[in-house]
Amino acid sequence: MIATVTLNPALDKIIILDQIKNCDNNKIKEEKFDIGGKGTHVSSVLSDLGLKNIATGILGGHAGSILESLLHKKDIECRFIYPPNYETRTSYIIIEKNKNNHFMLTEKGDKVDAKSVDELFELIRKLSTSCEFMIFSGGVCPGFDVNIYRKLIELANENNCKTFLDASGDYLIEGVKGKPFMIKPNIEEISDIIGHKPKNIDEIVFYAKELIKYGISIVAVTLDSNGSLIVSENETFRIYPPKIKSINTVGCGDVFFGSSIFKLYHNSNLREAFKFATAISASKAMNLMTSEFDINEALKLLDEVTVEYI
Ligand code: TA6
């Protein structure tokens, strides 16, 4: 079994306009809700690829109930902690169609109480005894300590669960100390770990290899439209994405993360897993929604994904 842990899920509200004019009453053309919050996004991808999974973390309020209904529609088993008087946050994704622009405005999230933090620990402890994979992904709502990911990863590792982390800032820096099996930092996030922005790919490779020596098995660095860099003990390679017309890149990182994990769960080699993830992520970029992709479109794009060993 596989579980995702989202410590600050979000309901994505996608707002579509022709254009945004400053100091004007801009009329919204269309509004859609989608699954947001990085771990819940991964659950959505796994489910779309046919892998049953459990979504857990912190959830509540009206936005939380809409998000949970979207997860249920994808046959995802929801095992959340519901803190008292807690409202799940909303991310607003603004699509300005005429200029092919999109912006994301994400709320901070409510503070979680100490009792709910303890309940979450107990839930993760229990789940990690029956899960082979556990994915920790996304922002963290106020009320959790900065070392929350480290503690949860250590707990899951002790129960022989393979752990995956996608986080940022101090939560990532602390989380890495828990030695997750795989991390998926973007450029800003690998800079958080290194302590400065890397000058070039060679410097990223150097620090990624240091992380492998430290005990992480896979470091997958996403490089926006320049694809990704995959580093493990036995191989290092760049992956270049297909040329596509991007509509909405929000969610691409989560879809990349979720689809690579799907392949690793089925014992794919790294090259196959991350080529597949790149094609799926490209299909998501062509989709207005933040969690949706077209598997047939992705499989057609697979041939245009190229790999270069370093
Ligand atoms: O990566 C896309 C996304 O999951 C959006 O759907 C939005 O919910 C946002 O990221 C949440 O990011 P955060 O890092 O705040 O958890």
Side-chain angles (χ1 to χ4, degrees):
M1 179 46 83
I2 190 165
T4 66
V5 183
T6 315
L7 300 181
N8 196 5
L11 175 64
D12 280 1
K13 187 168 189 177
I14 299 157
I15 295 167
I16 301 157
L17 311 94
D18 286 333
Q19 62 183 15
I20 299 173
K21 286 183 193 157
N22 193 22
C23 302
D24 198 354
N25 180 7
N26 294 284
K27 301 296 183 193
I28 293 173
K29 273 186 82 172
E30 200 178 351
E31 294 176 46
K32 296 171 182 279
F33 284 123
D34 199 356
I35 294 167
K38 296 182 165 29
T40 34
H41 248 132
V42 171
S43 270
S44 173
V45 172
L46 293 173
S47 179
D48 286 343
L49 293 172
L51 187 55
K52 277 191 76 58
N53 65 96
I54 297 168
T56 183
I58 301 291
L59 204 67
H62 179 60
S65 62
I66 297 172
L67 178 55
E68 190 158 13
S69 67
L70 293 173
L71 294 167
H72 280 309
K73 273 186 193 152
K74 293 201 170 199
D75 196 23
I76 295 164
E77 185 184 342
C78 294
R79 301 274 298 271
F80 289 94
I81 299 295
Y82 303 91
N85 310 311
Y86 177 91
E87 177 70 35
T88 291
R89 62 184 173 147
T90 298
S91 287
Y92 300 89
I93 291 95
I94 319 290
I95 309 268
E96 190 182 19
K97 291 192 94 166
N98 292 357
K99 296 181 182 170
N100 196 26
N101 282 339
H102 57 276
F103 316 85
M104 179 160 61
L105 311 170
T106 299
E107 292 177 335
K108 188 171 168 219
D110 279 359
K111 183 174 166 57
V112 66
D113 63 295
K115 184 171 176 293
S116 299
V117 171
D118 294 342
E119 286 173 5
L120 181 84
F121 260 99
E122 275 322 298
L123 178 58
I124 300 300
R125 188 188 310 280
K126 189 165 163 245
L127 280 177
S128 63
T129 59
S130 57
C131 284
E132 296 95 352
F133 279 24
M134 196 162 259
I135 295 107
F136 301 90
S137 187
V140 179
C141 53
F144 283 110
D145 292 339
V146 70
N147 59 8
I148 179 67
Y149 277 134
R150 173 178 183 172
K151 286 182 186 170
L152 293 175
I153 288 165
E154 286 172 345
L155 177 60
N157 285 345
E158 279 160 23
N159 287 323
N160 301 312
C161 209
K162 267 197 177 131
T163 48
F164 299 76
L165 177 63
D166 178 10
S168 51
D170 292 339
Y171 293 108
L172 171 64
I173 293 166
E174 278 301 309
V176 161
K177 294 175 187 171
K179 297 184 182 178
F181 173 76
M182 172 174 150
I183 61 172
K184 185 210 65 73
N186 58 30
I187 283 287
E188 291 74 30
E189 291 156 353
I190 196 81
S191 305
D192 290 336
I193 297 173
I194 297 172
H196 64 268
K197 190 171 171 63
K199 290 184 287 298
N200 50 41
I201 285 290
D202 290 344
E203 189 176 359
I204 300 176
V205 170
F206 171 80
Y207 283 104
K209 286 186 172 176
E210 288 300 296
L211 289 165
I212 301 297
K213 282 183 209 161
Y214 180 71
I216 291 170
S217 299
I218 303 172
V219 178
V221 185
T222 51
L223 306 166
D224 296 327
S225 56
N226 296 313
S228 59
L229 168 71
I230 312 301
V231 181
S232 70
E233 187 178 5
N234 304 319
E235 52 189 330
T236 298
F237 54 90
R238 285 288 304 271
I239 298 193
Y240 298 93
K243 297 271 180 280
I244 51 120
K245 180 170 173 17
S246 170
I247 294 175
N248 178 10
T249 59
V250 173
C252 283
D254 308 311
V255 162
F256 177 87
F257 196 36
S259 41
S260 64
I261 291 168
F262 169 81
K263 281 290 189 182
L264 294 172
Y265 191 76
H266 291 98
N267 301 311
S268 296
N269 61 48
L270 297 193
R271 175 193 173 96
E272 184 190 346
F274 289 101
K275 273 194 74 173
F276 177 76
T278 303
I280 296 275
S281 184
S283 173
K284 177 4 274 172
M286 296 158 75
N287 191 304
L288 198 68
M289 302 299 278
T290 55
S291 71
E292 302 299 329
F293 58 89
D294 180 327
I295 186 67
N296 295 316
E297 181 179 71
L299 293 175
K300 281 187 198 137
L301 290 169
L302 205 46
D303 292 341
E304 299 170 44
V305 177
T306 56
V307 177
E308 175 194 66
Y309 282 86
I310 299 174

